[in-house]
Amino acid sequence: MSDMQKGLIPTLQEVMSGAPHRFCVLHLWKNFTKQWKSKELKGIVWQCAKSTTVAEFEGHMAHLKTINCQAWEYLNKWPKQAWTKAHFSTIPKVDNICNNTCEVFNSRILQYSCKPIITMLEEIRSYIMRTMAARKVKLFGKPGPLCPVQYKRLEKEFHFANQWTPIWCGDNMGLRYEVHMWGNKVEVNLGEWTCTCGVWQLTGMPCRHVIATITHKGGKPEDMCHEWLSIEAYNKTYQHFIEPVQGPQYWAQTQYTHPVPPHKRVQRGRPKKNRRRSVDEDNVTGHKLKRKLAEFTCERCGQTNHNIRSCKNIGVPVRPKKYVAPSTSNEDDHLLSQDEQALNEAEEAAAHVQQDPMEINLSQPHLSQDSDMELMVNICHNKVVLSQPNLLQHSIFIYYNYSCLTFTCRSLQLLFHQ
């Protein structure tokens, strides 16, 4: 699997002509998103890549063609056996569509890449030797026919296998079944180790349909896994080891001239170690994300994205702590209209005060509601002098006089400011 490098494709065909070559779908998807930004189109790319049957793949491609014909032409030009599971070779027993293994290895050797070529190769060799030795003893003495990782994958399929019902078709060997679930039907052939969904042939791990069939017959699904997934195959993988190498001081001396290292040309600036990230990736430094601060304002000039220490407006005086921004022209017009209205009301109130107040006796009952309302208006305008007020009437009289006095003071204050 490669990241669609142009030089590796013909080289692998020449050196390893029989080995299947795949593309990393993540890099294919990133190149696709540079031209088409729609979320629906981005999702269809992954649906096509994860399709395990030809019919499912063709259905997603047909849906893509109805939405955008140019996007369909872009995906259709790539060889299908290189980026979709439906056309993958069933020989490797691996269904990976992303080159995560290579990315992990590159991140591990990042600390050695800045060293000279001989030192870098020696550090990488030492790292691989330590890793293989640690993997060799990691599963030593573990029971079970499968590795722990494969058992976890099998447990996930067990959860979905309960939803499927196998039905024997009546063959003489008893190996062919039809598995149902809510109208969906697939065929499972235990003799040929095949299933209609294609997952069993592609990964070597029994799918949910096969697990439902095997448990129906009373068998064990781990017995139907491919031999390459067993713990025995894992131990055979790490049976070999890298030979230790002695230091240069113990090497045999020869009559040939020692190789001279090339002239090292130091470039300007700090050397770059991190890989180039795409536009949609976050700029990560080390193992921590970059801190995103909220927008802050300078205390001196009031501008954003800098503080008073880095402010370049030296001549501007520092604003007070409780600073209120100046109002806009609309606010000024609104306040001016309020002041004019208050001034007019104050003049009317002053004119009412200059008139002679009328005296009434509140002890006499008032039978008319209109007369009561007129009395209240006269009290508000200071036209009434209460002769024998009770407690409630006296409170109303004091309250309205206090309100008028406050209003008059506010109006005089506005006149003074003007």
Side-chain angles (χ1 to χ4, degrees):
M1 180 177 291
S2 64
D3 298 340
M4 303 175 62
Q5 288 90 345
K6 297 180 180 180
L8 289 178
I9 297 176
T11 303
L12 290 175
Q13 292 178 355
E14 180 180 355
V15 178
M16 296 180 290
S17 58
H21 186 200
R22 299 179 184 177
F23 296 155
C24 180
V25 181
L26 181 61
H27 292 78
L28 178 66
W29 175 80
K30 288 182 178 179
N31 296 334
F32 181 87
T33 54
K34 292 179 181 178
Q35 304 182 37
W36 297 279
K37 307 296 183 180
S38 174
K39 292 184 179 180
E40 184 179 6
L41 296 179
K42 295 178 182 178
I44 293 178
V45 176
W46 289 106
Q47 292 175 0
C48 295
K50 295 180 180 179
S51 300
T52 56
T53 61
V54 178
E56 184 182 1
F57 171 75
E58 295 296 339
H60 292 308
M61 290 293 290
H63 179 54
L64 177 62
K65 189 175 182 179
T66 57
I67 298 176
N68 194 318
C69 188
Q70 295 180 354
W72 175 83
E73 293 177 356
Y74 176 82
L75 289 182
N76 195 43
K77 70 178 182 180
W78 302 109
K80 299 179 179 59
Q81 65 274 12
W83 66 279
T84 174
K85 292 183 180 181
H87 295 84
F88 278 175
S89 174
T90 58
I91 297 176
K93 302 303 177 186
V94 177
D95 62 340
N96 294 341
I97 58 177
C98 294
N99 197 11
N100 294 333
T101 305
C102 183
E103 297 293 342
V104 171
F105 181 76
N106 291 335
S107 63
R108 294 291 184 180
I109 65 174
L110 183 63
Q111 54 182 337
Y112 312 131
S113 60
C114 61
K115 298 182 179 181
I117 181 66
I118 301 298
T119 307
M120 181 188 68
L121 295 176
E122 179 62 21
E123 293 289 347
I124 294 176
R125 184 200 64 82
S126 179
Y127 165 73
I128 297 176
M129 182 178 64
R130 296 192 307 267
T131 303
M132 293 184 63
R135 297 289 189 273
K136 187 174 185 178
V137 300
K138 185 177 182 179
L139 299 182
F140 182 77
K142 288 285 184 179
L146 299 179
C147 299
V149 177
Q150 307 302 335
Y151 271 118
K152 291 181 180 179
R153 294 177 58 187
L154 201 61
E155 289 177 0
K156 292 181 180 179
E157 294 296 328
F158 258 110
H159 178 71
F160 299 101
N162 298 328
Q163 305 173 3
W164 293 84
T165 304
I167 300 176
W168 177 46
C169 68
D171 64 317
N172 297 330
M173 303 296 295
L175 300 177
R176 301 185 65 180
Y177 284 81
E178 186 179 278
V179 188
H180 295 255
M181 188 198 73
W182 296 99
N184 298 330
K185 299 178 183 180
V186 295
E187 180 187 355
V188 175
N189 192 334
L190 300 179
E192 298 180 358
W193 290 44
T194 59
C195 180
T196 305
C197 67
V199 177
W200 196 13
Q201 303 93 286
L202 188 62
T203 62
M205 175 72 63
C207 59
R208 59 197 66 178
H209 318 115
V210 179
I211 294 175
T213 305
I214 295 175
T215 53
H216 176 73
K217 295 188 62 176
K220 296 181 179 180
E222 54 266 23
D223 297 336
M224 302 298 293
C225 295
H226 198 272
E227 59 180 357
W228 291 350
L229 306 180
S230 62
I231 195 169
E232 182 180 358
Y234 178 88
N235 294 329
K236 287 182 180 180
T237 303
Y238 294 101
Q239 184 178 1
H240 305 278
F241 59 92
I242 297 179
E243 297 287 344
V245 178
Q246 300 177 356
Q249 62 272 22
Y250 301 105
W251 293 353
Q253 300 293 330
T254 62
Q255 58 182 354
Y256 301 102
T257 305
H258 291 260
V260 180
H263 177 69
K264 185 178 180 181
R265 181 180 178 182
V266 181
Q267 298 181 357
R268 296 178 58 184
R270 180 178 297 180
K272 298 180 180 180
K273 297 183 179 180
N274 297 333
R275 65 178 180 87
R276 296 179 181 178
R277 299 184 179 273
S278 59
V279 180
D280 57 338
E281 288 184 286
D282 295 331
N283 189 10
V284 182
T285 303
H287 299 283
K288 295 183 179 180
L289 292 174
K290 185 177 181 180
R291 184 176 60 177
K292 296 181 180 180
L293 300 176
E295 188 180 32
F296 50 91
T297 307
C298 177
E299 296 181 359
R300 171 178 290 156
C301 62
Q303 299 180 0
T304 57
N305 297 330
H306 72 273
N307 53 16
I308 192 173
R309 294 184 178 180
S310 59
C311 182
K312 298 181 180 180
N313 301 323
I314 307 299
V316 179
V318 180
R319 300 186 305 171
K321 294 293 183 180
K322 296 182 179 180
Y323 176 75
V324 179
S327 58
T328 59
S329 59
N330 296 332
E331 295 178 354
D332 294 338
D333 297 340
H334 181 64
L335 293 176
L336 183 59
S337 61
Q338 289 184 351
D339 294 341
E340 293 178 354
Q341 183 180 1
L343 181 60
N344 296 332
E345 293 179 356
E347 293 177 354
E348 293 178 0
H352 289 306
V353 171
Q354 294 176 359
Q355 298 178 2
D356 296 333
M358 57 183 295
E359 182 178 355
I360 62 172
N361 189 2
L362 293 178
S363 61
Q364 298 178 1
H366 296 274
L367 301 177
S368 176
Q369 185 177 1
D370 297 336
S371 60
D372 290 341
M373 184 61 66
E374 183 180 0
L375 177 62
M376 273 299 182
V377 173
N378 294 330
I379 292 176
C380 296
H381 293 164
N382 294 332
K383 293 182 179 181
V384 178
V385 178
L386 300 178
S387 58
Q388 295 179 359
N390 55 19
L391 181 60
L392 177 61
Q393 295 168 344
H394 186 66
S395 301
I396 295 175
F397 181 79
I398 294 175
Y399 173 76
Y400 279 103
N401 277 276
Y402 176 76
S403 301
C404 294
L405 180 61
T406 306
F407 183 77
T408 305
C409 293
R410 174 59 179 168
S411 302
L412 293 176
Q413 184 179 4
L414 292 175
L415 289 173
F416 176 74
H417 284 292
Q418 292 180 355

